[in-house]
Each structure stands twice: as C-alpha cells, then as structure tokens.
Amino acid sequence: MVEAMSQLQKEKAQLQEELVVLRERLTLHDSEQQATTTQLQNQVENLKEKLISQSQEVSRLQSELGGTDLEKHRDLLMVENERLRQELQCCEAELQALRAQPAATPCQGCEHVQESTQLRDKVSQLQMEVLENKGMLSELNLEVQQKTDRLAEVELRLKDCLAEKAQEEERLSRRLRNSHETIASLQAQSPPVKYVIKTVEVDSSKTKQALNESQARNQHLQEQVAMQRQVLKEMEQQLESSNQLTTQLRSQISMYETELERAHGKMLEEMQSMEEDKNRAIEEAFARAQVEMKAVHENLAGVRTNLLTLQPALRTLTNDYNGLKRQVRSFPLLLQEALQSVKAEIGQAIEEVNTNNQELLRKYRRELQLRKKCHNELVRLKGNIRVIARVRPITKEDGEGPKAASVVTFDPDDDAVIHLLHKGKPVSFELDKVFSPGASQQDVFQEVQALITSCIDGFNVCIFAYGQTGAGKTYTMEGTRENPGINQRALQLLFSEVQEKAADWEYTITVSVTEIYNEVLRDLLGTEPQEKLEIRLCPDGSGQLYVPGLTEFQVQSVEDINKVFEFGHNNRTTEFTNMNEHSSRSHALLIVTVRGRDCSTGLCTIGKLNLVDLAGSERVGKSGAEGSRLREAQHINKSLSALGDVIAALRSRQGHVPFRNSKLTYLLQDSLNGDSKTLMVVQVSPVEKNSSETLCSLRFAERVRSVELGPGARHTELRSWSSQEHLELEPACQTPQPSARAHSAPASGTSSRPGSIRRKLQSSA
Ligand code: ADP
Ligand code: MG
C-alpha cells in the first residue's frame, strides 16, 4: 500500500512535474505563438512596404519616361547625326570640287567666294554640332545603362523577398504540425490514470482509507486533470484561432503575391508597349529622315544646276567688268575732251545768248515805248476824260409819298443813257456809262480798274466823285467797312499787280490824305491837321509843284491802308464838330504814288492816283445863305467851276488850262494835263424831290464829256444848252460852267510832259 502510496505519490509528483512542464511548455508555446504572430505581422508589414516601394519605383521609372523615351530621343539624335554627317560629307565633297575647279577665275570678293566661306562656316558649325550631339548621345547611353541596372536590381530583390516568404511559410507550417503532434501525444497519456483508479477499488478497509484518501487525492488529481484538460482545450482553441490567423495571413500573403504578380505583369506589359512604341517611333523617324534626305538631295541637285548655269554668267560678267575697267581707264581722257568741247559750245552759246539778249532788250524797250504810244492812242480815242453816272438806291431818309418816288429810268439796250423826269418832262442824257441803283461796288470798280493799273505804268490818274450831298459820293469812294469803295479796292489792286510784277520790278506805294476846305489845303495825316499847306514851285527850276510838309505814308498791305484811313478820318472828326456837314462842304483827297524800278533796265516810273470825294454840288439859295455858309458855298462853287473849266480846257485841247483858279485844280495840275487820265463819277439821287439837283449834275456831266469831241461835241453842247433853256431852269442853279477866262498865269509844264510824277513830296515823318 505504502509502496502503492509512494508510487502514487511519485506518480502524483511526476504528474505535477509533467503539469509544470506542460504549463511551461504551454506558456512557451503561447509566447512563441505570439512572437510568431508578431513576426509574421512584421513580415507582412515589411512585404507591404516593399510592395509599395516597388510600385513606387515602377511608377518613378515610368514617370522618368523610362528608358524608352530616352532611347527614342537617342535614336532620333542618332538619325539626325547620321543625316548631318552625310550632309557634311556632301558639303565637303562640294567644297573640294569647288576648290578643285580651275583657279583661273580670280573672282576675288565675288559671290562664289562668299558662298564658299559661308559653306565653310556652316561645315565647321555642323562639325561642332556633331561633336555636341555625340557627347549628348554617350551621356544618354550611360543614363539608360544605369536605369536598366537599377531595374534588374529591383527585380532581384523582389525575387529574394518571395523566396524568404516561402521559407517563412514552410517554417510556420512545420511548427504547426509539431504543435498538433504534441497535443495528440498529451491526449494519449490519459488512460493509465483511469486504470490506477480501478485497481484501488478492490483493496482492503485500511487501504480503503488510503484508497479513499487516494480516491480523494485522485479526485483532486482528476479535478486537476480536468482543469488541465480545460486548459488544454483552451490552448487548443487558442491554437485553432492562431491557425485561423495563420490561414488568414496566408491568404493575405497569397493576395499580395497575386497583386505583386499582377503589378509585375502590368509592368511587363507596359514595357512591352513601350518597346513597341519605341520601334514604331524609330521606323517613323527613319521614314522622315529618308524623305528629308531626298529633299536635301533634290536641293543639292538644284544648287548644282544653278552653279552650272551661273558659271557662264560669271564668265560674261568678268568679261564685262574687264571691258568696263578699260573704259574707266580711258574715261578721264574722254571726259577732258568732252569737257573742252562742251566748254567751247557753252561759251559760244553764252555769246549767242548775250547778243540775243541785247537784241531782246532793245526790242523790249521799243515794245515798251510802242505800248505806251498805243495806250496813249487808245486813251485818246476813248477820250482820256470819261464821265460815268451812278444812281443811288432810294433810302429811308428819302421819306415816303410822291416826293420820294423815282424819277430816273434807264435804257435797257444802252447802258450809257439815263432818262430823268423833271417837272413832268422827260430829259435824256448820254454819258460814257450809267450805273443803276442795283449796281454793286465791284461793278463800279470794274469800270475804273484799267485806269488804276495804268498808274503802275507811270500814268497819272484822277477819279472824282461829283454830286449833291447825299447822292452817294462818299459811298462810292470810301464805301463801308463790309463793302469798301474805290479807294480801298484800288490800293488792293495795286498791291496785287505790284506783287505779280515783283520778279522784274521793284515798287513802293505811298499815300497822302488831304482836305480842301474854303480853299485851304490841310494834311490829314500830319501831326498838325489844322495847319495850312501851300503849293509851291520846285526851287530847282524844273517848273514842278510840291507841297512842303505834306505827310506821305508807305503802305504794303490792306491793314496799312485801313490804319492810314482811320488816322485821317480821326484827324478830320476831331477838327470839326458837325462832321457830316463839314465833309459835304470840303473836298477829300487820297493821293497814291506808285514808284517803280525795272530791275533789268534800271528804268524808273512814277504814277499818281488821285481819288477825290468832292464837296456837295447843291445850290444854296441866295436868300437863305449868309455868313460862313455863304462863304463855303462860294468856295465850293468856285472850285467846282474851276474843275469844270480845267476839264473843258483839256478836252478841247486849249493852249491854256486854268489850273490856278482853285486850290483843287492847282494841286491836281500834273495829274490832269498831258496824258493823264480823268474819270468823273457823277452821283445822282433818284427821287422826285432831288430832280432839280439831279438835272444840274447830269447836265454838268454831259457837258464835261462833250467838250473834247470837236465839231460834233459842239453840236451836243448846243443841244444840251437848248434843252436847258427849254426846261427853264431856276436862276439859282449853280452848276459850274466851264469858263473861257484864264484866271491864272499859264501853268508850268502844260507842254507835253510824261505821265510820271513831277512834284516832290516831302514826308513829314
Ligand atoms: P454823299 O457823300 O454824296 O453826301 P453818301 O455817300 O453819304 O452821300 O450817301 C448817302 C446815303 O445813301 C448813305 O447812307 C449811303 O449809305 C447811301 N447810299 C449811297 N449810295 C448808295 C448805294 N449805291 N447803295 C446803297 N446805299 C447808298
Ligand atoms: Mg460825302
């Protein structure tokens, strides 16, 4: 029993030891399992990372365009290189051929030499390019090699990983199998314990106690065994779960493997497609290069043919050049000869021209004289004293009613005739021209224009405005600012004519503005307008007249004229309070002197244009007028009569002309006699209430006009007088009559004197 007990105890101790071992083994297994699991997990992590890095590597390689694009580039460069090399060879061959050509064409600096230098430059440039390309090519080759090596390395690493993984797997399955075996062996150990229990049941009471104790112990041990079993079961469960994990991990590994495989396959596919692309690109580049080659060949052929055609042209050009060189060498000689002959010719021509010029100058002078003669003749035929009438329009100052009705009519077929209805009886007058109220300032100026231009040729001209106050004298001579009269237009015309002749003639135009009031001459441009001026004989004994102290202004433009007129007008206004009245009682004179010099002949001319706005010709009733008014009227009548007398004497070519009878005629003496020209504009009012004055004015006009016409003129004169008698004019009519009396000493210079100025005017300026 004791033995049995000790055996049982031994067994128990053994069992306990075994249990401890088992426990230890179990914990060991547990920790091993855990370690394996973590190791496996780590491995899986590593594999994952590797996979990621692999795929990254693959994509990086792809993104670097892999070796394929670089290769493509390299191939293209190679093709390009080849082409350039060939071109270079061609060029060199051409160069050599050109060098080999006979050096007999020493066309230094010609087109070909330039071309060859260009070609040489190009060749060296191309060579440099080739070298560069070669360097680049080797670099690229190196790069491609490196990339390929790296790829192989990566593949190798991948394979190693796979092998490692397989080994690991093998190891794990082996361990799993061992664990199974251990478990099975542990299970197999249980039946001997049961057998011991049965054997104990058939023993004695003493042993029964021991048995009971043993049974209790056995119970306890059984419980422990059951517990151990429980633990074992748990361990089995754990093992199972770890197995499951392992399978799971395995499946994951296989999934990763398949993924890796797929990635590898994809990579291979891509590499394949890249390879194909590369091949295709190479083919295309080759085809393109071939086409380009062909084009280059064609170009070369064209250049060659061009060269062939250019050679003869070059030869002829060289010949031409040589010929020209020879000509150039002989050119100075030829030039000298030609110059000498041309010089001689020119000298001859100059001489001819000189003689021709002399002849022309002589002819020109003769023509000038002839022209003047013709002009004089024309003027004589036309009558150098012309009389025209101008009828002013009816104004509102004329009032209304029958007294303001027009009594003047015109002949539509004859512009020299005017009809007047005086006290119910018609009277007709024939003058040189009649202007109706509708005539403009320009129309009137047109009529006097020729007279004014003759002033430039050295003729003296007088234009008078005659008529009763308010008949339009000032309007015709001065006009308005908007519509100027003869004065301003005449000066404008002179300016333009002078400008036209400026190439051959030098002209100066000067003006003086004077007034004669009560037989006193005043300078309206002077600083002392109230000063009395005298007309004197020149002290040089030439018999010419001059006015000491008379101001003369030189004018060059319309602005100058306007300034002069304004100045004169201001002087006149400040002097007299009732300007209108004063101006109708005085004669206003604008004296324009034109001095000319012919640049080619040195010939000098002086012409004078006198523009006179006469005092009003109206009669002053004997009863009404006294004192200063009567004195004024007497002076006016005297001067107008003297003017009529002078004109009559001139037109009838009397030996004596009474210039000295008035200041006006005395002042204008040299502008009235000889071949001077005179125009009288007789201004008339058209209304009924002025008909008597109109009759007187027209009668004066007709009488003045008719004087020169010899026997016929006398006839007209007789008719005129008879009509006057017939009309029974009022006795107060003061129409100036040309008188036969000689009031003064014979005027100096009445003998034939040219129309140039004979009086020296002194400028007070
Ligand atoms: P006069 O100088 O003879 O005394 P004006 O020249 O002063 O006369 O003329 C008197 C008026 O008649 C002025 O108002 C003037 O403007 C006007 N007149 C004269 N002639 C004409 C004409 N042809 N057309 C228009 N108005 C005229
Ligand atoms: Mg007036």
Side-chain angles (χ1 to χ4, degrees):
M1 232 359 229
V2 175
E3 269 176 41
M5 278 291 286
S6 62
Q7 206 178 349
L8 274 172
Q9 270 174 342
K10 265 184 206 167
E11 270 176 21
K12 189 187 156 189
Q14 209 178 343
L15 276 170
Q16 268 173 341
E17 271 171 22
E18 266 178 29
L19 253 173
V20 172
V21 171
L22 269 173
R23 257 186 211 142
E24 275 174 5
R25 272 175 65 186
L26 260 172
T27 36
L28 197 75
H29 187 77
D30 256 10
S31 59
E32 248 177 40
Q33 277 281 329
Q34 218 157 358
T36 317
T37 316
T38 36
Q39 211 179 346
L40 275 171
Q41 270 174 349
N42 283 344
Q43 271 180 4
V44 167
E45 270 321 295
N46 277 349
L47 276 171
K48 260 187 200 171
E49 273 172 20
K50 267 180 198 167
L51 195 67
I52 288 163
S53 74
Q54 280 293 333
S55 22
Q56 273 174 357
E57 180 73 11
V58 167
S59 57
R60 193 176 66 77
L61 285 170
Q62 276 177 353
S63 69
E64 274 180 23
L65 287 172
T68 329
D69 261 12
L70 285 167
E71 275 168 13
K72 232 194 275 179
H73 194 179
R74 182 196 60 191
D75 291 346
L76 277 175
L77 281 171
M78 271 165 76
V79 168
E80 176 72 15
N81 252 2
E82 190 56 34
R83 192 179 65 76
L84 286 171
R85 216 173 283 142
Q86 278 176 4
E87 213 173 285
L88 181 70
Q89 274 170 2
C90 286
C91 287
E92 272 173 352
E94 245 175 67
L95 201 69
Q96 268 171 3
L98 278 171
R99 271 195 202 127
Q101 268 176 13
T105 48
C107 44
Q108 283 218 342
C110 94
E111 222 177 297
H112 297 107
V113 175
Q114 282 174 8
E115 209 175 308
S116 88
T117 11
Q118 274 174 5
L119 280 169
R120 249 179 240 140
D121 289 350
K122 209 172 162 188
V123 165
S124 56
Q125 208 181 329
L126 287 170
Q127 274 170 344
M128 265 159 72
E129 261 178 57
V130 166
L131 280 174
E132 265 175 41
N133 286 335
K134 267 181 189 167
M136 254 163 84
L137 193 68
S138 57
E139 266 175 40
L140 286 168
N141 270 338
L142 209 71
E143 214 175 312
V144 168
Q145 193 60 40
Q146 279 172 358
K147 293 241 164 104
T148 327
D149 289 352
R150 248 181 18 226
L151 201 69
E153 225 176 275
V154 168
E155 266 177 45
L156 222 71
R157 259 191 287 162
L158 204 68
K159 267 178 199 163
D160 285 353
C161 276
L162 283 171
E164 259 176 49
K165 238 165 61 179
Q167 274 176 9
E168 187 65 29
E169 221 180 289
E170 184 67 42
R171 201 155 49 83
L172 281 171
S173 53
R174 222 184 305 131
R175 272 170 69 180
L176 202 66
R177 240 180 289 132
N178 284 346
S179 301
H180 279 298
E181 275 168 16
T182 318
I183 290 159
S185 71
L186 282 171
Q187 278 171 348
Q189 277 174 3
S190 302
V193 178
K194 273 178 189 172
Y195 175 75
V196 169
I197 294 162
K198 275 175 193 172
T199 328
V200 173
E201 274 173 9
V202 282
D203 272 339
S204 62
S205 56
K206 215 183 171 184
T207 45
K208 256 186 192 171
Q209 200 184 341
L211 186 70
N212 282 347
E213 280 172 14
S214 298
Q215 269 176 341
R217 233 181 11 236
N218 204 13
Q219 186 77 27
H220 178 69
L221 280 172
Q222 266 177 349
E223 274 170 14
Q224 272 192 346
V225 167
M227 234 162 67
Q228 285 296 328
R229 269 192 197 135
Q230 186 72 30
V231 171
L232 194 70
K233 215 173 189 177
E234 275 171 20
M235 273 177 74
E236 269 176 359
Q237 273 173 358
Q238 269 183 6
L239 191 68
E240 205 158 307
S241 71
S242 110
N243 272 348
Q244 274 175 3
L245 196 72
T246 312
T247 16
Q248 218 177 330
L249 282 171
R250 235 181 241 144
S251 70
Q252 249 180 23
I253 286 164
S254 69
M255 206 171 72
Y256 288 141
E257 270 174 359
T258 47
E259 219 167 281
L260 204 66
E261 206 129 301
R262 211 177 53 232
H264 189 70
K266 210 167 145 190
M267 201 174 83
L268 282 176
E269 265 174 30
E270 272 174 17
M271 273 173 81
Q272 185 82 18
S273 78
M274 278 172 184
E275 191 80 12
E276 277 167 13
D277 281 353
K278 185 180 91 182
N279 288 341
R280 214 170 25 241
I282 288 168
E283 270 167 24
E284 275 172 17
F286 185 69
R288 235 185 0 250
Q290 266 186 338
V291 170
E292 271 175 27
M293 269 282 275
K294 209 171 170 185
V296 167
H297 273 300
E298 277 167 10
N299 268 354
L300 199 68
V303 167
R304 265 194 202 124
T305 46
N306 270 355
L307 266 173
L308 284 176
T309 51
L310 274 173
Q311 259 170 1
L314 188 70
R315 235 168 277 137
T316 50
L317 271 175
T318 322
N319 286 344
D320 285 357
Y321 170 71
N322 288 338
L324 278 171
K325 232 153 107 180
R326 276 197 297 278
Q327 275 184 11
V328 167
R329 243 177 262 135
S330 60
F331 183 71
L333 218 70
L334 281 171
L335 188 73
Q336 204 128 20
E337 278 171 24
L339 271 174
Q340 269 167 1
S341 74
V342 166
K343 261 187 203 162
E345 271 175 36
I346 287 172
Q348 209 177 335
I350 287 171
E351 258 172 47
E352 273 172 30
V353 167
N354 255 349
T355 46
N356 270 354
N357 255 2
Q358 295 284 339
E359 180 66 14
L360 280 172
L361 212 64
R362 198 178 55 74
K363 277 183 185 168
Y364 170 66
R365 286 197 183 119
R366 212 184 59 208
E367 281 302 314
L368 213 67
Q369 279 170 358
L370 210 68
R371 185 172 158 239
K372 200 156 183 183
K373 220 167 129 189
C374 286
H375 185 81
N376 287 349
E377 192 59 26
L378 185 76
V379 168
R380 197 187 62 75
L381 286 172
K382 247 183 143 182
N384 55 3
I385 297 174
R386 298 181 68 225
V387 182
I388 61 172
R390 187 180 188 187
V391 183
R392 74 154 166 80
I394 299 172
T395 61
K396 34 179 206 291
E397 280 78 31
D398 292 323
E400 279 175 13
K403 286 269 170 203
S406 177
V407 286
V408 178
T409 48
F410 307 91
D411 189 334
D413 301 321
D414 192 350
D415 63 358
V417 175
I418 181 168
H419 308 290
L420 174 73
L421 194 69
H422 178 65
K423 294 188 175 168
K425 285 171 190 159
V427 200
S428 297
F429 297 93
E430 194 186 331
L431 303 169
D432 289 307
K433 173 112 183 159
V434 175
F435 286 104
S436 66
S440 67
Q441 298 280 66
Q442 182 55 33
D443 293 339
V444 176
F445 184 69
Q446 200 97 29
E447 190 64 25
V448 302
Q449 200 163 305
L451 222 62
I452 286 156
T453 45
S454 70
C455 193
I456 295 170
D457 297 327
F459 288 98
N460 287 348
V461 177
C462 279
I463 298 173
F464 297 101
Y466 178 96
Q468 74 170 110
T469 301
K473 296 185 294 295
T474 309
Y475 185 85
T476 295
M477 297 312 286
E478 286 178 19
T480 56
R481 190 177 280 273
E482 303 77 42
N483 202 1
I486 292 172
N487 290 2
Q488 206 189 82
R489 284 171 200 263
L491 278 160
Q492 269 180 28
L493 180 69
L494 287 178
F495 287 142
S496 67
E497 290 283 316
V498 160
Q499 220 156 26
E500 253 176 50
K501 288 186 163 188
D504 309 312
W505 286 79
E506 283 170 9
Y507 284 103
T508 52
I509 300 173
T510 54
V511 294
S512 299
V513 181
T514 62
E515 177 192 73
I516 298 169
Y517 174 64
N518 281 349
E519 284 302 277
V520 173
L521 178 65
R522 285 197 166 86
D523 179 11
L524 293 181
L525 297 183
T527 43
E528 303 285 337
Q530 67 277 16
E531 202 186 318
K532 232 168 124 177
L533 292 180
E534 290 301 327
I535 304 161
R536 296 251 163 82
L537 257 175
C538 258
D540 62 359
S542 62
Q544 291 181 4
L545 296 171
Y546 80 107
V547 182
L550 181 69
T551 313
E552 235 183 324
F553 277 157
Q554 187 171 338
V555 286
Q556 277 164 338
S557 63
V558 181
E559 288 78 49
D560 290 350
I561 310 165
N562 288 337
K563 268 187 224 160
V564 166
F565 286 171
E566 206 176 325
F567 188 63
H569 199 260
N570 286 348
N571 264 347
R572 212 177 177 195
T573 340
T574 45
E575 198 62 20
F576 299 96
T577 42
N578 190 345
M579 185 51 208
N580 275 346
E581 191 141 301
H582 171 76
S583 69
S584 72
R585 303 272 152 245
S586 60
H587 308 301
L589 287 95
L590 170 68
I591 303 161
V592 183
T593 311
V594 184
R595 290 177 177 87
R597 188 180 157 274
D598 187 342
C599 301
S600 58
T601 60
L603 194 81
C604 286
T605 59
I606 302 180
K608 247 190 1 161
L609 172 66
N610 303 282
L611 301 160
V612 191
D613 183 355
L614 291 168
S617 65
E618 62 271 15
R619 295 151 295 164
V620 178
K622 263 180 189 163
S623 51
E626 49 185 27
S628 68
R629 185 76 185 86
L630 184 66
R631 211 158 65 91
E632 273 177 357
Q634 282 167 347
H635 280 304
I636 294 164
N637 187 42
K638 187 186 160 198
S639 60
L640 292 180
S641 299
L643 183 65
D645 288 345
V646 164
I647 292 173
L650 286 170
R651 290 192 77 157
S652 58
R653 303 201 205 294
Q654 288 174 13
H656 170 69
V657 183
F659 288 112
R660 291 198 171 209
N661 280 1
S662 76
K663 274 265 155 49
L664 180 72
T665 49
Y666 192 31
L667 180 68
L668 299 178
Q669 179 175 336
D670 51 9
S671 296
L672 286 167
N673 66 2
D675 52 7
S676 302
K677 297 160 193 182
T678 302
L679 179 87
M680 180 78 74
V681 185
V682 176
Q683 292 286 150
V684 292
S685 157
V687 294
E688 204 276 333
K689 65 180 172 196
N690 296 133
S691 72
S692 294
E693 288 301 336
T694 304
L695 184 74
C696 286
S697 295
L698 289 173
R699 191 170 286 158
F700 176 82
E702 197 177 52
R703 195 166 50 77
V704 163
R705 184 180 170 262
S706 63
V707 173
E708 85 163 333
L709 299 175
R714 277 178 210 289
H715 174 69
T716 325
E717 193 178 5
L718 281 174
R719 188 162 57 92
S720 169
W721 288 121
S722 63
S723 65
Q724 191 185 11
E725 278 157 22
H726 183 70
L727 290 165
E728 293 168 2
L729 280 175
E730 293 158 55
C733 183
Q734 288 185 2
T735 309
Q737 308 289 325
S739 92
R741 283 177 293 131
H743 292 277
S744 57
S748 59
T750 43
S751 52
S752 65
R753 287 202 299 160
S756 52
I757 196 159
R758 290 121 218 164
R759 188 187 315 144
K760 283 172 187 149
L761 297 168
Q762 280 186 346
S763 169
S764 68

